[in-house]
Amino acid sequence: QVQLVESGGGVVQPGRSLRLSCVASGFTFSSHSMHWVRQAPGKGLEWVASISHDGGNKYSADSVKGRFTLSRDNSKNTLYLQMNSLRAEDTAVYYCAKEIVSATWGNFDYWGQGTLVTVSS
Amino acid sequence: DIQMTQSPSSLSASAGDRVTITCRASQSISGYLNWYQQKPGKAPNLLIFAASNLQSGVPSRFSGSGSGTDFTLTISSLQREDFATYYCQQSYSIPWTFGQGTKVEIK
């Protein structure tokens, strides 16, 4: 069965960095685009970034552009989110999500359990 | 960016009720609309993709309809396990955007 397991969250001071990881299993990781979606405490869902199956195409929300970098290692079935210059408003649960089928874009059929990032001094 | 607006923001219903949630896009998104269910402390769960396609494993009491700018999620007979927050999301263009959510509560 499909599993997505995020890690790397924690408490970090404003301006510092953090790297999130998402290890995938149960499907052909290298065939699917992958995504990060976040949810601030008590708030709704916000798309953060997406990467194509081969890493050749990457997109991110304006709110994180220039600060967050998305990458993947298909040999390790792992997705990464490097978060730099963190701000208080980046505080959220970060979910990685799988694209539903290899030929589509923007449809999140499986989600990890989430990892909490708290940016606070 | 495409804005997604759900209505109502919350509703109270009883088990067995028929429930309808509406999602409106700020511009036409054809049929590129997904619905998710989220329970407290859990990750979202895909219910409906491409406006009307039931995701594998999702009970048939859930259905979706619509195209263009107006979409509907219907739960034909609400079950206790359906009390949750529901989100619509457009996959027409980046940035992918979600509605603000509709919380379905027990009456």
Side-chain angles (χ1 to χ4, degrees):
Chain A
Q1 71 281 21
V2 172
Q3 278 198 306
L4 299 169
V5 180
E6 303 97 335
S7 61
V11 180
V12 61
Q13 293 179 327
R16 304 298 292 266
S17 300
L18 212 56
R19 188 176 84 156
L20 305 184
S21 300
C22 171
V23 178
S25 61
F27 66 102
T28 306
F29 181 72
S30 60
S31 295
H32 291 262
S33 299
M34 295 293 294
H35 313 275
W36 289 98
V37 177
R38 68 184 180 183
Q39 186 169 36
K43 301 298 184 181
L45 300 167
E46 180 190 15
W47 169 74
V48 175
S50 298
I51 186 168
S52 60
H53 68 98
D54 60 358
N57 292 294
K58 304 176 188 179
Y59 301 94
S60 60
D62 286 347
S63 58
V64 306
K65 203 162 289 183
R67 300 187 299 122
F68 290 11
T69 302
L70 187 56
S71 62
R72 64 190 296 163
D73 185 337
N74 285 345
S75 68
K76 296 182 178 179
N77 285 0
T78 303
L79 176 71
Y80 301 101
L81 184 67
Q82 177 66 43
M83 303 186 295
N84 298 331
S85 302
L86 282 161
R87 305 167 179 168
E89 54 265 36
D90 296 319
T91 294
V93 174
Y94 285 73
Y95 297 102
C96 71
K98 167 188 166 290
E99 181 65 35
I100 191 168
V101 294
S102 57
T104 64
W105 197 222
N107 309 279
F108 319 128
D109 67 337
Y110 284 92
W111 300 57
Q113 84 287 353
T115 187
L116 176 62
V117 173
T118 302
V119 184
S120 174
S121 54
Chain B
D1 298 3
I2 298 174
Q3 306 303 314
M4 306 300 294
T5 304
Q6 290 180 230
S7 60
S9 294
S10 65
L11 65 90
S12 295
S14 301
D17 286 352
R18 182 181 181 87
V19 169
T20 298
I21 299 169
T22 297
C23 178
R24 175 164 288 176
S26 60
Q27 66 181 72
S28 177
I29 57 170
S30 186
Y32 293 90
L33 192 283
N34 304 317
W35 289 99
Y36 302 86
Q37 176 194 67
Q38 187 179 32
K39 296 181 180 179
K42 300 294 187 181
N45 180 46
L46 178 65
L47 299 175
I48 302 286
F49 64 95
S52 60
N53 295 276
L54 194 67
Q55 172 66 348
S56 175
V58 174
S60 58
R61 62 181 179 272
F62 291 93
S63 64
S65 64
S67 66
T69 60
D70 295 313
F71 301 86
T72 299
L73 174 70
T74 299
I75 309 172
S76 60
S77 179
L78 197 66
Q79 303 299 303
R80 293 198 68 84
E81 60 266 30
D82 301 335
F83 291 97
T85 300
Y86 294 84
Y87 294 93
C88 62
Q89 174 247 331
Q90 63 83 15
S91 59
Y92 181 78
S93 67
I94 290 172
W96 320 126
T97 47
F98 293 85
Q100 81 279 14
T102 295
K103 188 173 184 178
V104 177
E105 298 175 300
I106 300 172
K107 182 182 286 185

